Amino acid sequence: MLHFSRLAGATLLAAALMAGTASAQTVLRSSDTHPDGYPTVEAVKYFGELVKERTAGRYSVDVYHSAQLGEEKDTIEQVRSGVIDLNRVSMAPFNGLIPETTVPSLPYIFRSEDHMHKVMDGPVGDQIAAAFEQVGLVLLAFYDGGARSFYNSKKPINTVADLAGMKFRVIQSDIFVDMVAALGANATPMPYGEVYSAIETGVIDGAENNFPSYDTAKHAEVAKFYSLDEHTMVPEAFVMAKSSWDKLTPEDQAILKAAAKESVAKQRELWAAKVKESRAKVEAAGSQITTPDKQPFIDAMGPVYEKHVKDDKLKAMVEAIKAVQ
Ligand code: GTR
C-alpha cells in the first residue's frame, strides 16, 4: 500500500513537472509600422505560427502592428537593447549604424526585382546579414519592399527638372537626403506616422514609397501624383535581439532560422499580390501615375555613390552586385 502510494505520488509529481514544462511559454514580441494584413505583418505572423508548431508551443510570436510599439527608429533601439525581441523594419534606417546596409539602399543599385532577389539570396545578402551582429541583432530574413517612387500633392513629375525645389519627406537615412538633393529637390527626414498630416498641411509637397505603403498609409488621399521613377529597391529586414537569440538552444535557433526562411517565400507571394491590389486601388480613387524616363534620374546619382561608397569593402560589394546576372 505504502509502496503503491509512493509510486502514485512519483507519477503525479512527474506529470506535474511535465505539465509545467509544456506550459512554459515564451511570447516573443515583434514590431511593425504597417497595419494588420500588410505583407510584412502577415509574414511575421506566419513565421510565428511555424515557430509555435515546431516548438510545441514553447515559443510564440505576438505582432504589434501599426507602430503600436513606436516609430521605426525608436523600435530599432528597443530591439537592440532587448526590450522587444523581434522587429520588421526597412533597411534604410540602419544605414548610419551598419555600413553594409548602405549598399542595397543605394539608388538604382538593382536592375530589377529578380536581380534584387538574387543578390539578397546570395553571398552579398549573407555579408549584409552578418553585419547586423555588430549592433546586437540577428538578421532572420530579408523581405520585399518593392521599388520606392516619388508622389506629391502638386503636379505630375515627368522629368528630373519637375522635381526642382520641391519638398519631400524621406525615410531616416542620409542616402535618401543626398539622393533628393542630387535631383534638385529638398528632403526632410521624418517618421512614417507623421507624413500624412505633413502633406495635408502643406509642410511638405510629398514623399516617396512603394504602392502598398502609399495606399495603406493613406498618403494617396493627400498626394495624388505618383511618379514611377523607382529610385530605390531597399529590402525590408526582419531582425531579432541578440540577447533574445542567445537564450535559445541551438535546436530552437535552427527552428527559428528555418521558419524565417519559409516566411520569405510567403512574403514575396503576398507582396506581389499587394502591389497590384494597391496600385489598382489608388488609381481607382483618382491617383495619376506617370512613368518618367529613368535614365536622367540614374545619371544624376553620381554624387550619392561618391559620398556613400567610399571604402574598399563597400566598393567591392557594389561591384559584386553589378556582376550578379
Ligand atoms: C515602407 C517600409 C516601412 C517604413 C516606411 C517609411 O516602405 O516598409 O518599414 O520604412 O516605408 O517610409 O518609413
Side-chain angles (χ1 to χ4, degrees), residues 32-34 38 40 72 88-90 93 145 148 169-172 190-192 208-210 213 236 271:
D32 199 312
T33 197
H34 290 302
Y38 198 92
T40 51
E72 281 197 343
R88 197 297 311 161
V89 276
S90 166
R148 298 175 74 100
R169 175 270 177 176
V170 290
I171 199 162
Q172 285 146 303
M190 82 175 57
Y192 192 49
E208 45 85 47
N209 224 313
N210 51 52
S213 293
E236 312 279 16
W271 180 257

Short mmCIF file of all heavy atoms in Angstrom, two decimals, residues 32-34 38 40 72 88-90 93 145 148 169-172 190-192 208-210 213 236 271, ligand 1:
data_model
loop_
_atom_site.label_atom_id
_atom_site.label_comp_id
_atom_site.label_asym_id
_atom_site.label_seq_id
_atom_site.Cartn_x
_atom_site.Cartn_y
_atom_site.Cartn_z
N ASP A 32 6.05 46.18 -35.98
CA ASP A 32 5.94 46.56 -37.40
C ASP A 32 5.18 47.87 -37.48
O ASP A 32 4.20 48.06 -36.77
CB ASP A 32 5.22 45.46 -38.21
CG ASP A 32 5.50 45.57 -39.71
OD1 ASP A 32 5.40 46.69 -40.26
OD2 ASP A 32 5.84 44.55 -40.32
N THR A 33 5.64 48.73 -38.37
CA THR A 33 4.98 50.03 -38.53
C THR A 33 3.69 49.91 -39.34
O THR A 33 2.80 50.76 -39.26
CB THR A 33 5.97 51.04 -39.19
OG1 THR A 33 5.49 52.36 -38.98
CG2 THR A 33 6.14 50.79 -40.68
N HIS A 34 3.57 48.82 -40.10
CA HIS A 34 2.44 48.67 -41.01
C HIS A 34 1.20 48.10 -40.32
O HIS A 34 1.30 47.44 -39.29
CB HIS A 34 2.83 47.77 -42.18
CG HIS A 34 3.81 48.42 -43.10
ND1 HIS A 34 3.54 49.61 -43.74
CD2 HIS A 34 5.05 48.06 -43.49
CE1 HIS A 34 4.59 49.95 -44.47
NE2 HIS A 34 5.52 49.04 -44.34
N TYR A 38 -0.91 43.77 -43.79
CA TYR A 38 0.18 44.16 -44.69
C TYR A 38 1.12 42.95 -44.86
O TYR A 38 1.32 42.18 -43.92
CB TYR A 38 0.93 45.34 -44.07
CG TYR A 38 1.80 46.14 -45.05
CD1 TYR A 38 1.29 47.25 -45.71
CD2 TYR A 38 3.13 45.77 -45.28
CE1 TYR A 38 2.08 47.98 -46.59
CE2 TYR A 38 3.92 46.50 -46.16
CZ TYR A 38 3.39 47.61 -46.81
OH TYR A 38 4.18 48.32 -47.68
N THR A 40 4.27 42.31 -44.75
CA THR A 40 5.32 42.06 -43.74
C THR A 40 4.70 41.56 -42.43
O THR A 40 5.23 40.66 -41.78
CB THR A 40 6.15 43.33 -43.47
OG1 THR A 40 5.26 44.41 -43.18
CG2 THR A 40 7.03 43.70 -44.64
N GLU A 72 9.81 53.54 -36.40
CA GLU A 72 10.91 52.62 -36.71
C GLU A 72 12.21 52.90 -35.96
O GLU A 72 12.80 52.01 -35.38
CB GLU A 72 11.17 52.59 -38.22
CG GLU A 72 10.15 51.73 -38.92
CD GLU A 72 10.51 51.31 -40.33
OE1 GLU A 72 11.41 51.90 -40.95
OE2 GLU A 72 9.87 50.37 -40.82
N ARG A 88 10.42 44.15 -37.54
CA ARG A 88 10.42 44.16 -39.00
C ARG A 88 10.47 45.62 -39.41
O ARG A 88 9.55 46.37 -39.13
CB ARG A 88 9.16 43.45 -39.52
CG ARG A 88 9.22 43.03 -40.97
CD ARG A 88 9.36 44.17 -41.96
NE ARG A 88 8.38 45.23 -41.68
CZ ARG A 88 8.51 46.47 -42.13
NH1 ARG A 88 9.52 46.85 -42.87
NH2 ARG A 88 7.59 47.39 -41.81
N VAL A 89 11.59 46.00 -40.03
CA VAL A 89 11.82 47.40 -40.40
C VAL A 89 12.47 47.48 -41.77
O VAL A 89 13.04 46.50 -42.24
CB VAL A 89 12.76 48.12 -39.41
CG1 VAL A 89 12.03 48.63 -38.21
CG2 VAL A 89 13.91 47.23 -38.98
N SER A 90 12.42 48.66 -42.36
CA SER A 90 13.17 48.86 -43.60
C SER A 90 14.66 48.81 -43.27
O SER A 90 15.06 49.07 -42.13
CB SER A 90 12.83 50.23 -44.19
OG SER A 90 13.75 50.56 -45.19
N PRO A 93 16.76 52.79 -42.36
CA PRO A 93 17.11 53.45 -41.10
C PRO A 93 18.35 52.85 -40.40
O PRO A 93 18.82 53.40 -39.42
CB PRO A 93 15.86 53.25 -40.22
CG PRO A 93 14.79 52.79 -41.11
CD PRO A 93 15.42 52.18 -42.32
N GLY A 145 10.38 44.94 -50.36
CA GLY A 145 9.78 46.25 -50.11
C GLY A 145 9.51 46.95 -51.42
O GLY A 145 9.18 48.14 -51.44
N ARG A 148 10.67 52.15 -54.49
CA ARG A 148 10.13 53.41 -53.95
C ARG A 148 10.15 54.47 -55.03
O ARG A 148 11.12 54.58 -55.79
CB ARG A 148 10.96 53.88 -52.74
CG ARG A 148 10.95 52.91 -51.57
CD ARG A 148 11.87 53.37 -50.47
NE ARG A 148 11.34 54.50 -49.72
CZ ARG A 148 10.74 54.40 -48.52
NH1 ARG A 148 10.61 53.22 -47.95
NH2 ARG A 148 10.29 55.47 -47.90
N ARG A 169 9.29 64.32 -47.95
CA ARG A 169 9.69 63.54 -46.76
C ARG A 169 10.45 62.32 -47.26
O ARG A 169 10.03 61.67 -48.22
CB ARG A 169 8.46 63.07 -45.99
CG ARG A 169 8.80 62.14 -44.81
CD ARG A 169 8.83 60.66 -45.19
NE ARG A 169 9.22 59.82 -44.05
CZ ARG A 169 9.25 58.51 -44.06
NH1 ARG A 169 8.95 57.85 -45.15
NH2 ARG A 169 9.61 57.83 -43.00
N VAL A 170 11.57 62.03 -46.59
CA VAL A 170 12.28 60.80 -46.89
C VAL A 170 12.41 59.97 -45.61
O VAL A 170 12.29 60.48 -44.50
CB VAL A 170 13.70 61.04 -47.47
CG1 VAL A 170 13.61 61.61 -48.88
CG2 VAL A 170 14.54 61.91 -46.56
N ILE A 171 12.67 58.70 -45.82
CA ILE A 171 12.94 57.78 -44.71
C ILE A 171 14.22 58.28 -44.02
O ILE A 171 15.04 58.98 -44.63
CB ILE A 171 13.07 56.36 -45.30
CG1 ILE A 171 12.90 55.30 -44.25
CG2 ILE A 171 14.34 56.18 -46.10
CD1 ILE A 171 12.59 53.92 -44.86
N GLN A 172 14.41 57.90 -42.73
CA GLN A 172 15.53 58.48 -41.97
C GLN A 172 16.87 57.84 -42.32
O GLN A 172 17.36 56.96 -41.62
CB GLN A 172 15.21 58.41 -40.48
CG GLN A 172 14.19 59.48 -40.10
CD GLN A 172 13.25 59.04 -39.01
OE1 GLN A 172 12.57 58.04 -39.13
NE2 GLN A 172 13.21 59.81 -37.93
N MET A 190 11.60 62.27 -41.73
CA MET A 190 10.64 62.31 -40.61
C MET A 190 10.02 60.93 -40.43
O MET A 190 10.03 60.12 -41.35
CB MET A 190 9.58 63.40 -40.84
CG MET A 190 8.44 63.06 -41.71
SD MET A 190 7.12 64.33 -41.84
CE MET A 190 7.92 65.79 -42.43
N PRO A 191 9.52 60.64 -39.22
CA PRO A 191 8.90 59.32 -39.00
C PRO A 191 7.68 59.12 -39.92
O PRO A 191 6.97 60.08 -40.25
CB PRO A 191 8.48 59.37 -37.54
CG PRO A 191 9.30 60.45 -36.92
CD PRO A 191 9.53 61.46 -38.01
N TYR A 192 7.49 57.88 -40.26
CA TYR A 192 6.42 57.48 -41.19
C TYR A 192 5.04 58.00 -40.73
O TYR A 192 4.27 58.51 -41.54
CB TYR A 192 6.42 55.95 -41.23
CG TYR A 192 5.62 55.29 -42.31
CD1 TYR A 192 5.71 55.67 -43.64
CD2 TYR A 192 4.78 54.21 -41.99
CE1 TYR A 192 4.99 55.01 -44.62
CE2 TYR A 192 4.06 53.53 -42.97
CZ TYR A 192 4.16 53.94 -44.28
OH TYR A 192 3.45 53.28 -45.25
N GLU A 208 8.03 59.59 -50.65
CA GLU A 208 8.41 58.56 -51.63
C GLU A 208 8.23 57.20 -50.98
O GLU A 208 8.62 57.01 -49.83
CB GLU A 208 9.85 58.79 -52.14
CG GLU A 208 10.91 59.12 -51.09
CD GLU A 208 11.49 57.90 -50.45
OE1 GLU A 208 11.84 56.97 -51.18
OE2 GLU A 208 11.59 57.88 -49.20
N ASN A 209 7.58 56.32 -51.71
CA ASN A 209 7.38 54.97 -51.19
C ASN A 209 6.83 54.05 -52.28
O ASN A 209 6.59 54.49 -53.40
CB ASN A 209 6.42 54.99 -49.98
CG ASN A 209 6.93 54.12 -48.85
OD1 ASN A 209 7.33 52.98 -49.09
ND2 ASN A 209 6.91 54.64 -47.63
N ASN A 210 6.65 52.79 -51.90
CA ASN A 210 6.07 51.80 -52.81
C ASN A 210 4.53 51.92 -52.82
O ASN A 210 3.96 52.60 -51.96
CB ASN A 210 6.51 50.40 -52.38
CG ASN A 210 6.24 50.18 -50.90
OD1 ASN A 210 5.14 50.39 -50.42
ND2 ASN A 210 7.26 49.79 -50.16
N SER A 213 2.59 50.97 -49.40
CA SER A 213 2.68 51.96 -48.33
C SER A 213 1.89 53.22 -48.68
O SER A 213 1.17 53.77 -47.83
CB SER A 213 4.15 52.34 -48.07
OG SER A 213 4.85 51.24 -47.54
N GLU A 236 13.39 44.95 -46.94
CA GLU A 236 12.98 45.04 -45.55
C GLU A 236 13.84 44.06 -44.73
O GLU A 236 14.29 43.04 -45.26
CB GLU A 236 11.51 44.60 -45.40
CG GLU A 236 10.55 45.23 -46.39
CD GLU A 236 10.10 46.62 -46.00
OE1 GLU A 236 10.76 47.23 -45.13
OE2 GLU A 236 9.12 47.11 -46.56
N TRP A 271 3.47 39.94 -51.25
CA TRP A 271 3.91 41.26 -51.70
C TRP A 271 3.49 41.52 -53.14
O TRP A 271 2.91 42.57 -53.46
CB TRP A 271 5.44 41.39 -51.57
CG TRP A 271 5.91 42.72 -52.03
CD1 TRP A 271 6.52 43.01 -53.22
CD2 TRP A 271 5.73 43.97 -51.36
NE1 TRP A 271 6.74 44.36 -53.32
CE2 TRP A 271 6.26 44.96 -52.19
CE3 TRP A 271 5.16 44.33 -50.14
CZ2 TRP A 271 6.25 46.33 -51.84
CZ3 TRP A 271 5.15 45.69 -49.77
CH2 TRP A 271 5.69 46.65 -50.62
C1 GTR B 1 7.89 51.36 -46.04
C2 GTR B 1 8.60 50.34 -45.17
C3 GTR B 1 8.45 50.72 -43.72
C4 GTR B 1 8.88 52.15 -43.48
C5 GTR B 1 8.25 53.10 -44.46
C6 GTR B 1 8.81 54.52 -44.34
O1 GTR B 1 8.07 51.03 -47.39
O2 GTR B 1 8.02 49.07 -45.37
O3 GTR B 1 9.17 49.80 -42.95
O4 GTR B 1 10.28 52.24 -43.55
O5 GTR B 1 8.42 52.65 -45.80
O6 GTR B 1 8.98 55.15 -45.37
O7 GTR B 1 9.03 54.98 -43.22
#
